[in-house]
Amino acid sequence: MSKARKLLTTLLVLATTALAGAGVAQAAAPGYVALGDSYASGVGTRQYTDANCKRSAAAYPSLIAPRIGATLNFQACSGAKTADVLNNQVAALNSTTTYVSIAVGGNDIGFASVIEKCALPFYDCTGDINKALDAARNTLPGSLNAVYTQIHNRAPNAKVAVVGYPRLFNGQECNLLARISSKEQGQLNAGADVLDEVVKGRAAAYGFTFVDIRGPFTGHAVCDKAEWINGLSNPISESYHPNTNGHAALADLVQPALT
């Protein structure tokens, strides 16, 4: 083989290798956008990478992303309502987004403040619970529609998992400082059922997968032997949210809905 031909062969091999390497470099990991409120951001885990939104490396989106080989765009933020998701989070979505998870709706109906009132001594929170349920039935569906429409339009090719809320209580009164009676616990659990059914119904209307966590979390409520949800905690903001064990369980529940 002539020197010129050898040189040409070598150059072709180098060019082919370079092109192959460029192809590998350009192959991006699928995008995973995590939307929602404190139940998605990781409040309750007591370890945060973002002080304002309280996003956690122990939250289920953070656990799922490496398992499915996805790049996480973590938008969920503590205290978020549907309006906050629309104004501050959905812009992260686009036509290349592969996976989306979202948990939102509880703050829209003021569920956290209702629990705080139920914990007050000598206070009957039945009226507050009923007010929240009226909002869940009458106002929340439209708000969820607005969010789900944006997800559908912005990320039309994504697999979407809509994550529900757990029943928080088992009927026992184990937190002496949080005087939530067995009756009130039952009402709050029933309220969580109403909230979940509303969220489930709207998710189904958009073809999204609803992840119902109520069954798996049964036996792991506040006061259960193996709690996946914090009881009354210090600081207060950690209260009544999934702990690290709860988020580990959530990761196992949400991942199949995405993949």
Side-chain angles (χ1 to χ4, degrees):
M1 184 183 292
S2 67
K3 290 184 178 180
R5 189 170 182 181
K6 286 182 178 179
L7 177 60
L8 179 59
T9 301
T10 301
L11 289 174
L12 287 172
V13 170
L14 290 173
T16 302
T17 303
L19 288 171
V24 172
Q26 291 171 0
Y32 170 22
V33 180
L35 308 171
D37 57 24
S38 57
Y39 271 71
S41 72
V43 173
T45 63
R46 299 181 179 273
Q47 45 186 290
Y48 307 110
T49 57
D50 180 296
N52 292 324
C53 282
K54 292 190 174 181
R55 300 185 183 113
S56 174
Y60 67 82
S62 299
L63 300 177
I64 291 173
R67 295 183 188 176
I68 62 177
T71 299
L72 176 62
N73 189 332
F74 206 170
Q75 294 291 316
C77 190
S78 176
K81 299 180 180 180
T82 51
D84 299 304
V85 174
L86 289 171
N87 294 332
N88 306 319
Q89 299 183 22
V90 296
L93 302 168
N94 58 57
S95 60
T96 66
T97 302
T98 305
Y99 310 111
V100 178
S101 64
I102 180 169
V104 74
N107 290 324
D108 285 69
I109 66 172
F111 214 61
S113 62
V114 170
I115 295 173
E116 290 177 2
K117 290 182 178 179
C118 290
L120 295 173
F122 313 114
Y123 181 84
D124 185 350
C125 63
T126 300
D128 300 284
I129 294 172
N130 289 336
K131 183 178 179 181
L133 295 185
D134 286 342
R137 295 186 179 103
N138 300 317
T139 306
L140 184 59
S143 299
L144 292 174
N145 285 346
V147 171
Y148 296 164
T149 295
Q150 285 296 310
I151 295 174
H152 180 270
N153 291 345
R154 289 173 180 264
N157 303 310
K159 180 70 173 178
V160 182
V162 177
V163 186
Y165 294 89
R167 300 184 185 104
L168 298 176
F169 305 101
N170 68 359
Q172 299 178 31
E173 297 180 46
C174 65
N175 295 148
L176 296 179
L177 295 178
R179 300 175 184 275
I180 303 177
S181 68
S182 296
K183 173 188 174 182
E184 290 169 332
Q185 290 183 37
Q187 291 174 320
L188 288 168
N189 284 347
D193 287 340
V194 171
L195 174 60
D196 276 335
E197 291 306 313
V198 170
V199 173
K200 179 181 179 180
R202 301 325 305 149
Y206 285 80
F208 300 159
T209 301
F210 179 71
V211 183
D212 193 338
I213 67 176
R214 288 172 291 181
F217 269 66
T218 299
H220 300 286
V222 175
C223 297
D224 278 321
K225 185 175 181 179
E227 289 183 330
W228 287 355
I229 302 168
N230 295 328
L232 182 65
S233 304
N234 182 21
I236 293 293
S237 59
E238 300 290 324
S239 305
Y240 309 115
H241 283 80
N243 55 29
T244 53
N245 290 332
H247 273 276
L250 282 166
D252 291 339
L253 294 169
V254 177
Q255 182 180 341
L258 293 174
T259 58

